[in-house]
Amino acid sequence: MNEEFPVDDIKTYTRDSYSETQLKKYLSLLYRKLDLLPQIEDHYYLKIQSFLDAGNWFYKVGFPKESIKWYNQFLNFYVENEGKLSSEEKNSLIEMHNHAYSVLAADYAKLSILDSAEYAHKANINYSKTFNKIYYPSAINNYGLFFYWNKSNPDKALPYFKKAYEITLTNFPNHTLLGSVRDNIADIYYEKGEYNLAAPLYAENFKFFKNTINEKSQNRDTPRLISAGAQLVNTNIKLGKFTEANTNFNRLEKIITEEKISGRLTPDSELEFLQTKETLQNALGLTPQAYATLKVIKQFSDSIQNLEDITDATWRKELNNATLDRVALNFELERMVKENQLKSQQSKFWIVTLSFSFIILLLASLFLRRRQHIINAKNKQKLAERTLEVESLKVEKLNSEIQSKKRDLSDFAINLSQQQEWIKYISNKVHALKQTHNSHRDALLNELEQEIKNKVTFDSDTQIFYEKLDKLSDSFYRNLTTKFPDLSKNEIRLCSLIRLKINSRSIATLQNITLASLNTSRYRLRKKLHLTEDINLDTFIQSL
């Protein structure tokens, strides 16, 4: 069995390494091996290793119930026969002992048997603390993850993460577990909104995973490195540090390019990078670029999900627990046949017939389910494409409406400017009226009164203009006040008028000030915007 399925070969524990025939063969050999163990005297280490191999295999290929059964068998047999093992044999099992407890807890949690999962975590901590090895802080960290993931209690998880971090930092400062625990602590701070505490932890991990080699693969842990960089950028955005976020994103983008060239970039890491890119573009107000990135994310995500769904469905349909039960049943039948070779030919015929009928029915069921899954996937893709088309039309319509409102507002501003000029004209007429003789004064007064009545609505129109200006510029105001919170209301409105490309004379008229006062206001605005002499104020505001 070890020649065909060696225990030290990773393919032995990988689900996609098996065809259905190979799976049946492996399970048959495995059950034969386990069935022979009670008949073997002594050789306790061989028996323990066999139970452990069975637990490892069922865990890796995704059968939690069988995995739990054989890991418990391994742990119980070890307790009963520990005194019969040599010191060398015990030392060789320390790591796997820790691994067995960890997997047991994970399998129990997967099956929602949380009391048993917690018991396994505590047993792992008690066992591991007697050794000065990485397994002890790892066990504490896993117990914290149990409260964080399975119990949804980050406050109870945090002390365990901090304890694991302290032990690892003191005794194993270059082990990748240090980065994992630090990431768990940062995640809790991020979840609580304490971004100022999470940011330095993510930054440290970004440096740590860039230079640290994974103990098992002996390569740089690319997925964790990219995840740390993405988390750092997102935290910078939450803190409003957009320049720092953009700098860290550029560093992350360089790593992505290098890993893609080397072929080490995983689809999940690339998806996480794209999601971070879209978040940053939105934060910087780059809406068209963010929308384009979002479409790429959706297509990429759907592609990954479809591949995972098809792969997982194929495995689950062809190599699920029914297959496991069938192989076990076939082995039992085979053993019964060997024990009783005098059964009639008719019984054999019925067994063969039933087996073939079962296989035919199973294959037919698999075919129909797979065909339905493909149909459903195509329908989902069509629906997603139609949704994208509808959203694109909505965006185009909104852009058209915005441009129309901008034109209306510009016209309204010009109109108000003309009305201000008219008021100056009236002022001149009043002055002339004072110089006029009594014989013409009444006629001039009547004419002036009529003109004032026609233009009495000026102040209300000015108010309406500013209301429309504020409404149209709401998104611009938010972006401006986020970047420059010290601006006054009049300065914000001045920025909006400049953004609409209204000339200086009209702006002075609208604000009822002289051109000299307007130039003073523009000078003060430049200082608050931190603009150097070589940067044009109008061009800068247009680019926001």
Side-chain angles (χ1 to χ4, degrees):
M1 179 177 178
N2 196 47
E3 292 180 0
E4 291 188 60
F5 305 98
V7 295
D8 57 350
D9 188 347
I10 188 62
K11 291 183 179 180
T12 303
Y13 303 100
T14 307
R15 67 159 70 177
D16 54 7
S17 299
Y18 291 90
S19 66
E20 185 173 1
T21 301
Q22 289 174 319
L23 177 68
K24 289 165 64 177
K25 184 175 182 180
Y26 181 85
L27 286 173
S28 296
L29 293 172
L30 180 61
Y31 277 118
R32 285 192 181 96
K33 177 181 178 181
L34 296 172
D35 193 59
L36 288 172
L37 291 180
Q39 303 175 32
I40 300 175
E41 294 184 4
D42 300 328
H43 296 285
Y44 301 104
Y45 185 76
L46 171 65
K47 294 179 181 180
I48 287 176
Q49 195 65 50
S50 297
F51 295 143
L52 188 59
D53 292 343
N56 288 341
W57 189 85
F58 285 116
Y59 165 66
K60 289 294 185 180
V61 298
F63 295 123
K65 291 182 180 179
E66 287 294 316
S67 174
I68 289 171
K69 172 184 174 182
W70 294 107
Y71 275 129
N72 276 325
Q73 188 81 350
F74 158 73
L75 293 171
N76 293 335
F77 191 85
Y78 182 89
V79 171
E80 293 172 2
N81 299 279
E82 182 178 4
K84 300 170 184 177
L85 298 173
S86 67
S87 298
E88 184 179 352
E89 290 171 338
K90 290 178 184 178
N91 290 334
S92 69
L93 291 171
I94 292 175
E95 181 177 0
M96 293 313 301
H97 215 113
N98 171 266
H99 176 73
Y101 277 126
S102 298
V103 174
L104 260 181
D107 283 337
Y108 278 130
K110 189 181 297 182
L111 298 173
S112 299
I113 310 174
L114 299 185
D115 289 340
S116 297
E118 185 168 6
Y119 176 82
H121 279 300
K122 290 180 178 178
N124 192 17
I125 292 173
N126 290 332
Y127 174 81
S128 302
K129 69 181 179 182
T130 58
F131 308 99
N132 185 27
K133 294 182 179 293
I134 193 66
Y135 318 129
Y136 179 47
S138 176
I140 297 173
N141 179 59
N142 289 339
Y143 194 32
L145 289 173
F146 169 75
F147 287 109
Y148 190 25
W149 290 344
N150 303 118
K151 290 280 193 175
S152 300
N153 190 344
D155 290 331
K156 196 165 184 179
L158 188 56
Y160 291 100
F161 289 151
K162 288 183 176 180
K163 182 177 180 181
Y165 183 77
E166 181 182 349
I167 296 172
T168 309
L169 183 61
T170 303
N171 301 305
F172 313 100
N174 297 318
H175 199 282
T176 52
L177 177 65
L178 184 67
S180 298
V181 181
R182 185 160 47 216
D183 184 66
N184 294 336
I185 297 172
D187 286 348
I188 290 181
Y189 286 145
Y190 187 93
E191 185 178 304
K192 288 183 171 183
E194 298 175 358
Y195 307 118
N196 58 323
L197 296 177
L201 296 175
Y202 287 140
E204 186 65 24
N205 264 6
F206 198 23
K207 296 178 183 177
F208 181 78
F209 285 117
K210 189 174 183 181
N211 302 308
T212 303
I213 301 300
N214 183 279
E215 293 76 20
K216 292 185 178 179
S217 68
Q218 291 300 307
N219 290 314
R220 187 167 72 175
D221 199 335
T222 300
R224 286 185 179 180
L225 172 61
I226 293 171
S227 180
Q231 290 167 319
L232 177 58
V233 173
N234 288 325
T235 309
N236 291 151
I237 293 171
K238 290 289 186 180
L239 290 170
K241 298 180 178 179
F242 301 110
T243 302
E244 191 172 342
N246 197 46
T247 300
N248 287 321
F249 177 80
N250 290 335
R251 292 169 56 199
L252 179 60
E253 189 173 34
K254 183 179 179 181
I255 293 171
I256 288 289
T257 303
E258 293 172 354
E259 296 301 319
K260 187 177 289 187
I261 293 173
S262 68
R264 291 193 298 266
L265 183 65
T266 65
D268 288 340
S269 294
E270 187 171 0
L271 179 59
E272 185 175 11
F273 167 74
L274 289 172
Q275 290 169 339
T276 303
K277 181 179 181 180
E278 190 262 340
T279 302
L280 180 60
Q281 288 172 337
N282 271 323
L284 297 176
L286 304 175
T287 306
Q289 294 92 324
Y291 182 72
T293 304
L294 185 61
K295 290 199 292 185
V296 175
I297 289 173
K298 182 169 181 55
Q299 294 171 355
F300 192 68
S301 179
D302 288 346
S303 175
I304 294 175
Q305 190 60 47
N306 286 340
L307 279 174
E308 290 178 349
D309 288 346
I310 292 171
T311 302
D312 200 57
T314 302
W315 172 264
R316 289 298 176 187
K317 289 173 183 177
E318 296 180 0
L319 306 175
N320 56 12
N321 285 331
T323 304
L324 179 65
D325 293 338
R326 187 171 77 249
V327 172
L329 177 61
N330 287 340
F331 173 69
E332 293 297 329
L333 288 174
E334 181 182 348
R335 187 168 61 179
M336 289 172 63
V337 169
K338 289 181 180 179
E339 292 174 354
N340 188 8
Q341 297 180 352
L342 299 177
K343 284 187 177 181
S344 65
Q345 190 66 31
Q346 185 178 9
S347 297
K348 292 182 180 180
F349 172 78
W350 279 112
I351 291 172
V352 173
T353 301
L354 288 173
S355 298
F356 273 108
S357 298
F358 177 78
I359 293 172
I360 291 171
L361 289 173
L362 180 62
L363 290 175
S365 174
L366 291 173
F367 172 77
L368 292 174
R369 289 182 183 180
R370 184 170 184 178
R371 186 177 67 175
Q372 186 61 43
H373 176 78
I374 293 173
I375 293 172
N376 292 340
K378 289 182 178 179
N379 290 337
K380 287 181 181 178
Q381 183 179 0
K382 290 180 180 178
L383 180 61
E385 290 174 354
R386 291 176 183 173
T387 302
L388 283 174
E389 290 177 1
V390 171
E391 292 299 324
S392 178
L393 291 174
K394 287 182 179 179
V395 171
E396 289 179 5
K397 183 179 178 182
L398 286 173
N399 287 334
S400 177
E401 291 177 356
I402 290 171
Q403 293 302 323
S404 176
K405 289 181 179 179
K406 283 184 178 179
R407 289 192 296 271
D408 292 345
L409 191 58
S410 179
D411 293 342
F412 198 78
I414 294 171
N415 183 45
L416 281 181
S417 177
Q418 292 171 350
Q419 289 186 17
Q420 290 280 28
E421 293 292 337
W422 179 83
I423 289 174
K424 291 181 180 178
Y425 162 74
I426 292 297
S427 177
N428 293 333
K429 291 198 71 174
V430 170
H431 180 73
L433 181 63
K434 291 179 181 179
Q435 308 296 326
T436 306
H437 296 294
N438 291 337
S439 58
H440 296 95
R441 182 173 295 176
D442 290 340
L444 289 174
L445 279 172
N446 290 335
E447 181 183 347
L448 179 61
E449 180 182 10
Q450 185 60 40
E451 290 185 9
I452 291 173
K453 285 180 180 179
N454 291 338
K455 298 293 184 176
V456 74
T457 59
F458 176 78
D459 288 339
S460 62
D461 285 346
T462 302
Q463 181 63 31
I464 292 171
F465 165 74
Y466 279 121
E467 288 176 357
K468 288 186 176 182
L469 178 66
D470 293 344
K471 185 175 181 181
L472 179 62
S473 304
D474 182 60
S475 176
F476 174 71
Y477 284 179
R478 284 200 305 272
N479 186 30
L480 192 62
T481 53
T482 298
K483 295 182 176 180
F484 308 102
D486 294 335
L487 295 180
S488 67
K489 185 174 182 180
N490 284 337
E491 287 169 337
I492 293 173
R493 282 183 170 174
L494 175 57
C495 289
S496 187
L497 292 171
I498 294 173
R499 180 168 170 262
L500 291 173
K501 298 183 179 179
I502 299 174
N503 61 55
S504 296
R505 184 177 295 279
S506 297
I507 292 175
T509 303
L510 285 170
Q511 293 194 332
N512 199 21
I513 59 177
T514 65
L515 278 173
S517 297
L518 176 61
N519 289 333
T520 302
S521 298
R522 288 171 63 93
Y523 175 75
R524 290 173 180 169
L525 180 59
R526 288 180 63 89
K527 291 186 67 177
K528 287 192 176 183
L529 295 179
H530 311 297
L531 299 182
T532 57
E533 293 183 358
D534 59 330
I535 298 178
N536 182 274
L537 175 63
D538 292 21
T539 303
F540 176 77
I541 292 175
Q542 295 292 335
S543 68
L544 291 176

